[in-house]
Amino acid sequence: MSIATRALVQAAEEGEGTSNFLIPDGTFWFELAAFGLLFFVLARYIIPPINRAMVRRQEAIRQQFAELDEAKAAANASEAEFKAQIADARHEAARIRKEAQDQGNAIIAEMRQQAQGEAARIVENAHTQIEADRQQAAISLRSEVGALATTLAGRIVGESLEEPARQSRVVERFLAELEATPEAGSATN
Amino acid sequence: MTGLLAATREIEIGHRVRGNLLGIDVNIDTIISTLIAGSLVLILGFVARNYLTRDPDDHVPSKIQLLWEVVVHQVNKQVEDNLGRVHPYVAPLAISLFFFILISNWMELLPTKLNSSTHLTPAPTADTNLTYALAAVAMVSVWVYGIKQKGLGGYFRHFLEPYPILLPLNILEELVKPITLALRLFGNIFAGGIMLALIAIMPWWGLPAANFAWKAFDMLIGVIQAFIFALLTVLYFAMAGAGHGDGHGDEHGEGDHKDQQDKDQLDPKAAPEPAH
């Protein structure tokens, strides 16, 4: 027989004599009153504040999370704005750079054109000058070379070539011959 | 072994210190430990409350507050799941039952056992007087709640469901509920007490290990029994409020429908088979 069985048997034997511990007695009413009082105090003074505190804390946490989300959204928005501004600034810079390049190109082209114009003008002037000099040289040639040649020829031939009309005719003819000779030379060539 | 057996004869099971209170013969030891357990619960409660009201804006709970909040939250959740809302009477009742039973169960573990038969603080839940009282509060509340929810006629009609012939069984069930509530709790804690008495007469070399092992286990039993009592109370409330088999009816309906669908799906396959 195990210890527990023996103990129970003994309990049953004792219970017969005195009182059965399964049957409640007067203690029941005191226990009832005790629990009733405990229940009243807990339900009235302790559980409601605990419930309220829990609800308050939940609200607080919820609110904090909401604020957190809000702050996060704001931060994201400002970041996006910042990025957009940076992108704008980059575009602006690129635009300005391109504009400056274009302007530079235009200026260079203009300057080149100007320089070319200037050069052309200088060349033109030089040509004009040369032509004028040449004409002047030709004129002086006609007058001086003719006179020299006439004088020289007059001395050699002894014939007076002082008459200006004749002199001029001789010079003209001479010059014509002179001009014709290289052309004839070039033509024969 | 014979010495141990002889010693067991000295253990007086169910022996109570009797006394007279207000002209009624009572178990004085049970009443004293009830007062101690109740006071402990109230002290714990008021300490937690004190922490709560100290600074309403400080939302960080203290440890004792957490202990209460875990229980309160769990019970509230259980009540809400079963009754549809945190009932302002049922939830506090279940919480009170849980805490009071828990502390009462643990009273047994206090090392105030003078000898094998005299324990200064026996668990009050090891006395049927307390467990019957708790069960009575719970079941009367359940009946009142049921009548309030469904009306007098509606409540008593459920004794005739699902078939009127089950009336005796239904009545018996209602009467058995409080008794099982009370005796389940009593039996578990009372048995724990017997174990401690048996361990107390063990030889010195076996006593500490056995004592520690059993007390650790008994603490767990104390929690489980308190939880079961509170949970069953909530479930009885739910049963009294929901009516007999309302929810079950729906479930069966769905189940049958599903079975029918399954059969319908199987039928086309079954039909061609004879042709083979």
Side-chain angles (χ1 to χ4, degrees), chain A:
Chain A
M1 188 183 284
S2 74
I3 300 170
T5 327
R6 181 167 284 272
L8 284 177
V9 167
Q10 191 178 7
E13 281 168 1
E14 281 191 359
E16 277 175 22
T18 54
S19 64
N20 187 340
F21 55 74
L22 290 179
I23 308 293
D25 57 15
T27 320
F28 174 83
W29 301 109
F30 289 98
E31 299 294 341
L32 195 65
F35 179 71
L37 185 67
L38 181 83
F39 174 38
F40 174 76
V41 174
L42 286 183
R44 184 83 188 261
Y45 297 106
I46 292 179
I47 294 169
I50 288 174
N51 272 328
R52 274 201 298 277
M54 280 162 65
V55 170
R56 256 207 316 269
R57 186 170 335 115
Q58 281 170 351
E59 279 304 311
I61 291 173
R62 194 167 293 136
Q63 199 183 338
Q64 277 172 2
F65 269 98
E67 280 170 11
L68 194 71
D69 285 346
E70 219 168 279
K72 213 156 116 184
N76 283 344
S78 43
E79 195 192 347
E81 197 183 344
F82 171 73
K83 275 185 178 161
Q85 280 177 354
I86 289 281
D88 274 359
R90 283 215 182 104
H91 281 308
E92 184 74 14
R95 193 181 61 74
I96 289 170
R97 235 183 355 251
K98 190 167 184 316
E99 212 173 78
Q101 221 166 20
D102 289 351
Q103 268 180 3
N105 286 344
I107 288 169
I108 288 171
E110 195 183 346
M111 295 302 282
R112 184 177 287 145
Q113 206 173 4
Q114 237 172 31
Q116 277 171 348
E118 185 82 355
R121 199 173 52 75
I122 289 169
V123 168
E124 179 81 6
N125 278 354
H127 281 164
T128 316
Q129 185 70 31
I130 287 167
E131 180 65 17
D133 286 353
R134 196 183 64 87
Q135 272 178 10
Q136 204 171 8
I139 287 169
S140 79
L141 191 74
R142 259 171 225 201
S143 59
E144 286 175 22
V145 170
L148 279 174
T150 336
T151 310
L152 183 62
R155 288 213 191 128
I156 294 167
V157 178
E159 186 184 354
S160 175
L161 291 173
E162 295 301 314
E163 194 187 356
R166 192 182 288 172
Q167 184 187 352
S168 126
R169 244 185 355 257
V170 171
V171 172
E172 285 295 330
R173 202 170 53 236
F174 172 68
L175 285 179
E177 277 172 10
L178 206 66
E179 277 174 1
T181 305
E183 281 175 15
S186 68
T188 52
N189 282 346

Side-chain angles (χ1 to χ4, degrees), chain B residues 200-213:
Chain B
I201 59 166
M202 279 178 85
W204 62 267
W205 45 265
L207 194 142
N211 204 26
F212 176 78

Side-chain angles (χ1 to χ4, degrees), chain B residues 86-137:
Chain B
V86 180
H87 196 274
Y89 179 85
V90 179
L93 177 65
I95 295 164
S96 306
L97 283 171
F98 178 83
F99 265 110
F100 182 53
I101 293 172
L102 180 68
I103 301 294
S104 296
N105 291 348
W106 284 353
M107 293 284 291
E108 185 78 50
L109 306 173
L110 292 178
T112 53
K113 214 167 171 58
L114 296 183
N115 53 46
S116 58
S117 64
T118 310
H119 194 173
L120 291 183
T121 56
T125 36
D127 186 338
T128 45
N129 284 304
L130 176 57
T131 59
Y132 282 138
L134 297 179
V137 172

Side-chain angles (χ1 to χ4, degrees), chain B:
Chain B
M1 196 64 190
T2 44
L4 205 61
L5 279 179
T8 58
R9 294 182 191 282
E10 288 167 17
I11 300 176
E12 296 181 34
I13 303 297
H15 173 77
R16 290 294 176 180
V17 181
R18 299 292 289 179
N20 196 295
L21 202 64
L22 302 175
I24 305 172
D25 283 339
V26 294
N27 298 336
I28 286 291
D29 54 351
T30 303
I31 287 179
I32 289 172
S33 18
T34 303
L35 290 179
I36 295 173
S39 308
L40 276 175
V41 172
L42 288 182
I43 288 169
L44 283 176
F46 276 109
V47 168
R49 181 175 188 259
N50 193 32
Y51 275 116
L52 282 180
T53 49
R54 194 176 283 167
D55 180 8
D57 289 328
D58 179 18
H59 296 296
V60 180
S62 62
K63 280 171 187 156
I64 189 157
Q65 199 181 326
L66 276 178
L67 168 80
W68 276 89
E69 286 185 5
V70 166
V71 175
V72 170
H73 176 71
Q74 286 302 322
V75 174
N76 280 350
K77 200 164 152 269
Q78 197 64 247
V79 171
E80 197 174 7
D81 286 351
N82 285 295
L83 268 64
R85 69 188 174 114
V86 180
H87 196 274
Y89 179 85
V90 179
L93 177 65
I95 295 164
S96 306
L97 283 171
F98 178 83
F99 265 110
F100 182 53
I101 293 172
L102 180 68
I103 301 294
S104 296
N105 291 348
W106 284 353
M107 293 284 291
E108 185 78 50
L109 306 173
L110 292 178
T112 53
K113 214 167 171 58
L114 296 183
N115 53 46
S116 58
S117 64
T118 310
H119 194 173
L120 291 183
T121 56
T125 36
D127 186 338
T128 45
N129 284 304
L130 176 57
T131 59
Y132 282 138
L134 297 179
V137 172
M139 286 318 293
V140 170
S141 301
V142 166
W143 292 332
V144 170
Y145 172 81
I147 291 169
K148 266 189 174 173
Q149 287 293 108
K150 300 199 285 189
L152 202 60
Y155 180 73
F156 284 108
R157 205 170 296 128
H158 99 264
F159 282 101
L160 301 174
E161 289 166 358
Y163 307 108
I165 201 165
L166 294 177
L167 176 67
L169 275 181
N170 282 333
I171 292 174
L172 193 64
E173 189 194 0
E174 281 307 301
L175 295 178
V176 161
K177 271 179 191 171
I179 296 173
T180 56
L181 261 185
L183 291 186
R184 179 186 306 110
L185 178 58
F186 160 77
N188 276 281
I189 307 308
F190 184 67
I194 294 176
M195 278 298 288
L196 283 178
L198 286 175
I199 288 168
I201 59 166
M202 279 178 85
W204 62 267
W205 45 265
L207 194 142
N211 204 26
F212 176 78
W214 177 255
K215 282 195 174 177
F217 186 57
D218 213 20
M219 280 190 81
L220 185 66
I221 293 181
V223 177
I224 291 172
Q225 288 306 317
F227 172 73
I228 289 177
F229 199 108
L231 178 68
L232 280 176
T233 304
V234 173
L235 291 181
Y236 290 157
F237 272 105
M239 284 162 75
H244 213 89
D246 266 356
H248 292 296
D250 290 344
E251 279 172 27
H252 282 308
E254 280 179 21
D256 292 344
H257 188 60
K258 208 174 174 185
D259 286 350
Q260 190 58 45
Q261 278 186 334
D262 288 348
K263 277 176 196 160
D264 288 345
Q265 286 178 343
L266 284 175
D267 275 345
K269 286 182 192 168
E273 270 178 14
H276 282 290

